Amino acid sequence: MKKTFLQLSLLFIVQIAICQSKPKEYSSLIKKADSCYRAENYKTSVDYYEKAFKIERKKQNDFYNAACSAALSKEKKKAFNWLNLAIDNGYENITHLQIDTDLKSLHENKEWKSTIDKFQKKLDVLEANYDKPLQKELLAIYAEDQGIRGEFAKIYRDKGPGNKEFDSINKLMGYKDSINLIKVIKILDEKGWVGKNVVGSQANQTLFLVIQHSDLKYQQKYLPMMRDAVKKGNANPSSLALLEDRVSLREGRKQIYGSQIGRDKETKMYYVSSLEDPDNVDVRRANVGLQPIAEYVSQWQIKWDVDQYKRDLPSLMIKEKIKN
């Protein structure tokens, strides 16, 4: 039967509506999967990831996170499948993969070595023209920085603060940070903010991580260098946003992107630290590649209500000693 113009138009509109609904459905399922992961409900997290991947199968970080949930729920076949999909779709952080405690259950499996070997061969091709000695040094710093924080997070999660084990790991983390900072300062002062085209994205990110964990005077010193690096494409705008926020708050000013989360000492509830122009925060976040603030703060069980936040902001600024 010959379709009329009206029939074709309606069909086209329906197809557009279906296409537009898919990303929203995918995003909703991924959000649920991530929420279940944080609640340590790994099996349900895996189920949500599976549903999401039936809609869309392109995002490397989602594949990687799904592999972590699968490994923690002892579903090793799915974990390896999703790890390989992450690698095939551009995931490059081999050092993080190797130290990630979520994946520890996979290490004894013979497929682990073949996955790492496959990953390394792919990286060898991509990194043929990199500054290998510098990359190696930065990757070792990355492993130290993130490895100790993984241990810290586990102790904090299992036992909380205020015990000998927590105090010990906290002290060790501070010591390792001080050593890593000396190394990174030397690199920055001699070579500048080297881009991922020189050392790869993972090693490049190490520069930000170490400065982000340093004292305010070092953050203030290297913030202009990172701003310039972003303009040249040698650093991530989203990472710069986090450093901008941290420096702003430490200097007694309101943050810009809402990345910094505080915790009330009495109620133990988390909150968004003092924020400039809350009404337009999502515009600023989108401009640097950050997710909407409502999605971001849900990780801390914060429900974002901009009107309520604006009412609470004056008292929050007093508590945090923020200047107008």
Side-chain angles (χ1 to χ4, degrees):
M1 181 184 292
K2 186 177 180 181
K3 289 184 172 66
T4 66
F5 177 76
L6 178 60
Q7 286 175 315
L8 289 170
S9 297
L10 288 172
L11 179 61
F12 182 64
I13 291 170
V14 169
Q15 288 174 329
I16 290 175
I18 291 171
C19 290
Q20 289 176 336
S21 69
K22 284 185 177 181
K24 290 182 180 179
E25 186 181 357
Y26 177 87
S27 179
S28 175
L29 289 167
I30 292 295
K31 186 177 178 181
K32 289 175 182 178
D34 292 343
S35 178
C36 288
Y37 167 86
R38 290 192 295 272
E40 300 183 17
N41 189 351
Y42 303 121
K43 179 66 176 72
T44 305
S45 176
V46 168
D47 291 341
Y48 278 123
Y49 277 122
E50 281 193 305
K51 291 176 183 177
F53 296 150
K54 288 178 181 176
I55 299 170
E56 188 172 333
R57 294 170 61 84
K58 295 180 181 178
K59 298 185 179 179
Q60 53 173 280
N61 288 333
D62 291 340
F63 283 132
Y64 182 86
N65 293 336
C68 290
S69 285
L72 290 165
S73 65
K74 296 181 171 55
E75 297 181 69
K76 294 183 179 181
K77 185 175 180 180
K78 289 178 183 177
F80 279 114
N81 179 47
W82 284 334
L83 267 186
N84 280 285
L85 283 169
I87 295 167
D88 291 342
N89 282 277
Y91 186 82
E92 296 181 11
N93 201 337
I94 191 170
T95 301
H96 181 78
L97 183 148
Q98 290 174 303
I99 66 173
D100 193 339
T101 55
D102 286 354
L103 303 174
K104 196 172 181 179
S105 66
L106 305 181
H107 291 192
E108 300 300 320
N109 194 294
K110 63 181 181 180
E111 196 172 342
W112 176 257
K113 185 178 184 304
S114 63
T115 300
I116 296 297
D117 289 345
K118 168 192 170 183
F119 199 171
Q120 190 59 61
K121 285 178 182 178
K122 181 179 179 180
L123 292 178
D124 288 341
V125 174
L126 292 172
E127 300 171 356
N129 297 317
Y130 286 179
D131 183 335
K132 287 294 187 179
L134 181 57
Q135 183 194 38
K136 184 178 179 181
E137 181 182 4
L138 283 167
L139 292 179
I141 294 171
Y142 179 97
E144 282 242 306
D145 182 274
Q146 294 298 290
I148 192 68
R149 277 170 170 76
E151 294 177 39
F152 176 87
K154 186 177 187 307
I155 292 171
Y156 183 86
R157 184 174 61 246
D158 295 344
K159 298 184 179 181
N163 58 77
K164 187 179 288 187
E165 196 172 356
F166 176 87
D167 293 340
S168 177
I169 196 73
N170 195 32
K171 185 177 180 180
L172 179 60
M173 185 166 66
Y175 172 74
K176 285 181 177 287
D177 283 353
S178 66
I179 299 299
N180 288 335
L181 180 62
I182 293 170
K183 296 176 183 177
V184 164
I185 284 175
K186 186 173 186 295
I187 293 169
L188 292 173
D189 290 347
E190 291 180 358
K191 300 178 181 291
W193 203 289
V194 289
K196 61 183 180 181
N197 62 314
V198 177
V199 293
S201 57
Q202 180 184 332
N204 167 257
Q205 184 71 355
T206 302
L207 299 171
F208 158 73
L209 289 172
V210 173
I211 296 302
Q212 173 83 337
H213 299 149
S214 67
D215 292 338
L216 176 60
K217 65 179 180 178
Y218 298 111
Q219 294 177 345
Q220 290 170 322
K221 179 180 178 180
Y222 293 103
L223 179 57
M225 184 185 286
M226 189 177 186
R227 287 172 180 157
D228 189 52
V230 167
K231 290 177 183 177
K232 294 176 180 177
N234 290 338
N236 295 327
S238 58
S239 297
L240 175 61
L242 269 63
L243 187 58
E244 295 276 13
D245 277 356
R246 184 163 290 195
V247 170
S248 292
L249 288 171
R250 285 179 150 187
E251 290 180 341
R253 298 178 289 110
K254 288 179 280 189
Q255 62 175 326
I256 303 164
Y257 301 97
S259 67
Q260 302 301 298
I261 305 298
R263 192 181 190 189
D264 191 281
K265 292 181 180 179
E266 295 179 2
T267 65
K268 308 299 181 186
M269 299 292 287
Y270 292 99
Y271 61 87
V272 178
S273 289
S274 301
L275 174 64
E276 185 73 44
D277 185 18
D279 287 312
N280 294 300
V281 64
D282 276 338
V283 175
R284 299 192 296 275
R285 290 177 65 85
N287 287 339
V288 295
L290 293 172
Q291 67 193 128
I293 194 166
E295 292 181 19
Y296 175 69
V297 301
S298 66
Q299 300 175 62
W300 292 273
Q301 286 73 55
I302 301 171
K303 185 175 181 181
W304 179 249
D305 181 334
V306 67
D307 293 325
Q308 184 61 50
Y309 184 83
K310 288 190 291 186
R311 289 192 289 269
D312 294 340
L313 185 55
S315 59
L316 179 57
M317 290 173 63
I318 293 171
K319 181 169 71 173
E320 294 189 323
K321 299 179 182 178
I322 300 297
K323 306 165 191 172
N324 285 319

